[in-house]
Amino acid sequence: MPRQYPIEKIRNIGIIAHIDAGKTTTTERVLFYTGITHKIGDIDEGTTVMDWMEQERERGITITSAAITCFWTPLGLPKNKENEYRFNIIDTPGHIDFTAEVQRSLRVLDGAVVVFDGVAGVEPQSETVWRQADKFKVPRICFINKLDRMGADFEKSLESIWQKLTQGAVAMQIPIGLEGEHKGVIDLLAMKAIKFEGDFGQIVKEEEIPQDLLAKAKEWREKMVEKIAGEDEQLTEKFLSGKEINIDDLKRVLRKAVLEYRLVPVFCGSSLKNKGVQPVLDAVVYYLPNPLDLPPVKGQDPRTGESLERKADDKEPFSALAFKIATDPYVGALTFFRVYSGTLLRGSYVLNTATGEKERISRILRMHANEREEVEELYAGDIAATVGLKSTGTGHTLCDEAHPIVLEKISFPEPVISIKIEPKTKADQERMGLSLKRLSEEDPTFKIKSDLETGETLIAGMGELHLEILVDRLKREFKVEANVGRPQVAYKETIKQEAEAEGKYIRQSGGRGQYGHVWLRVVPKNRGEGFEFIDEVKGGTIPHEFIPAVEKGIKESLDKGVVAGYPIVDMSATLYDGSYHEVDSSEVAFKIAGSMALQAAVKKAKPILLEPIMKIEVVIPEEFFGDTIGDLSARRGKIEQTSDRINMKVIDAKVPLSEMFGYATVLRSMTEGRGTFTMEFDKYEEVPGNIAQEIIEGKRR
Ligand code: GDP
């Protein structure tokens, strides 16, 4: 069967937001509106829609799927196949502990709708996600939600976007009324009032702009036109000479500016009160990219390392990226993937270039809000799931065996916290290992380690809550009961200066001896740059075949640390000299020499401990401001900024993770239950001397 939707009609989008901004509610509304237009067609009779909604409720709208397909026909166009667009909505997790998941989904989507709380405006986590979207070059539109809430302020929210995120934000609408009076929006392009009627706001009506808002709407339209026209020479001329610019020209120039990350159109409304969601869907069609608007995806030939490109074309060799493994109660493990190029037929074999193994695609599933659709083939630019893959993990490339490619790797932050985990019974023990493995395949920021000395299992992740949720899933989904220990901070070690040292492993007592001898230079690297091994041996002072052994010895030593047993990071080690013995030299001898040299060099290079620093935002009523600040300072917190938000004080601070354990409870009791906070990993920093001493001693005790 040929392609049903031209690639130009596909939109792969994500809805991203700070927790509580209304992502879930907005997604629910999107699925509802797209559901009625697609299924029932042009029905605007309240009761029918109500029945449909009831049925949907009973079946449960699935908005937790990693990718959901739905269909949208822009407002004002006749509803037929010609005008219908296919949206794949990729789920982006809201909680800050899962920024890796957010990154992973940003990698596969083409455009995003960023939802803001119209009372709070830009919150710290929205800023983080925004920067990530910048990094992954995702064009965006904004939706200022919750305008029905007490204290909602469209202009202030927009201003916070200008201040904190981008000057390129351009208001395409202004609200009609706020708080209890919020009735709809004014479309500044068409200069019409848009009202949403019916029990679910499903009937969209265009009206004349109310008299009392006309002057304001004109003023805002002027700002909008000026900003858009500024992106195009001809339009700029027209604007300056006071000529009318037609709507199609504005839309065309705006689309181009959005795709080039210069402008971000801003819409508004209230998902809960069913206001303003449909125009956002129109904006997805008009301003966000289709897969052809994007540059070809880049990758490498796994055999030669040569750079390759794949265009979003059905005729190119097949390439796809697995971006999420999810456990589905009905079909088992689902692997969600995005096709970047080529065509995939059900029943065919593909190559996983991460493992080198072939996988059979026995089924292709498209997830809709309320059903799973089996499809026979999939084309470039599309997103779907498959089942029964054996060795495919998150971030792996699947491709045509004859044209292998590794698509750009996704890099994830290293875990900052770990806990000991112990199965409760013998039966739990058997299942625990496998279950943990499954969970870590789903989530690359979740790691399992076993302590070789004590035989204990440690699990590591991005925060206390992250691990709590995983332990809870272990219990609920995998029926494994486990006891967990106290959370431990994932400290690291590094060096502050350059140093050189020698490692000699020579044993010559009768028979065949051992001979390994190396000189190493260690040099500090910037935070987050990791470790690098450099081979500068000249003239064969150490034979070629022993160099990998030296590197191996160094790496083993890095893991064990020098100061307090934590892994050493952010440093390079250069092997620049040494010697060997014709008979006695061996890989083992050079490995030990490498390890000895590394330890000696690090000890000379002012080794220090590093600790994870968290970025936190605390929101409290005014009367607790002093106490909260005092408490944060006692936790070695650095206050970055304080501000006001309707009867509340907001504190932005950076605090070492080790001081934040149990903070939720402390904050609650300190503020009579009214304070809230969010926290995310920021960076690693040097541990102050006296505290480092305590850590070292605590470790030794
Ligand atoms: P998420 O955490 O971003 O997924 O947010 P939810 O959609 O779960 O919404 C968080 C809370 O805000 C819920 O109690 C919603 O009912 C409420 N909410 C969402 N949208 C609106 C809105 O437009 N107006 C008001 N007043 N509340 C909303």
Side-chain angles (χ1 to χ4, degrees), residues 568-583:
I568 304 173
V569 295
D570 303 342
M571 154 188 116
S572 66
T574 306
L575 174 62
Y576 65 94
D577 205 0
S579 63
Y580 76 106
H581 185 279
E582 282 293 349
V583 182

Side-chain angles (χ1 to χ4, degrees), residues 16 106 114 116 122 124-136 138 140-142 161 164-166 169 264:
I16 56 185
L106 289 178
V114 188
F116 297 90
V122 175
Q125 196 217 339
S126 344
E127 216 177 322
T128 311
V129 179
W130 189 273
R131 302 290 162 230
Q132 283 171 345
D134 284 343
K135 184 172 143 196
F136 287 92
V138 179
R140 270 146 278 180
I141 59 183
C142 293
I161 295 176
K164 295 187 181 164
L165 306 180
T166 172
V264 178

Side-chain angles (χ1 to χ4, degrees), residues 14-16 22-34 61-65 68 70 89-92 115 143 145 271 277 281 369:
I15 300 179
I16 56 185
K23 194 184 86 178
T24 311
T25 313
T26 307
T27 311
E28 239 169 37
R29 296 300 185 271
V30 168
L31 294 180
F32 175 66
Y33 298 130
T34 56
I61 293 186
T62 325
I63 55 159
T64 50
S65 178
I68 303 183
C70 60
I89 303 180
I90 294 114
D91 184 43
T92 56
V115 181
F143 179 59
N145 186 32
S271 307
V277 175
L281 295 176

Side-chain angles (χ1 to χ4, degrees), residues 97-98 417-419 445-447 459-473 484 487-488:
D97 266 348
F98 307 124
I417 183 173
S418 67
I419 51 173
T445 56
F446 173 59
K447 299 255 164 77
I459 55 175
M462 299 313 296
E464 258 178 303
L465 186 68
H466 184 201
L467 293 181
E468 260 170 44
I469 291 172
L470 285 158
V471 171
D472 186 57
R473 286 189 60 194
V484 296
Q488 306 284 327

Side-chain angles (χ1 to χ4, degrees), residues 42 72 104 185 188 323 338 366 445 467 543 687 689:
D42 202 1
W72 179 247
R104 180 205 298 151
V185 298
L188 298 173
F323 64 94
R338 170 176 178 150
R366 209 187 263 296
T445 56
L467 293 181
V687 180

Side-chain angles (χ1 to χ4, degrees), residues 17-26 145-149 269-273:
H18 188 285
I19 192 158
D20 247 22
K23 194 184 86 178
T24 311
T25 313
T26 307
N145 186 32
K146 298 199 182 186
L147 291 184
D148 62 304
R149 262 185 74 192
S270 157
S271 307
L272 188 71
K273 296 286 158 67

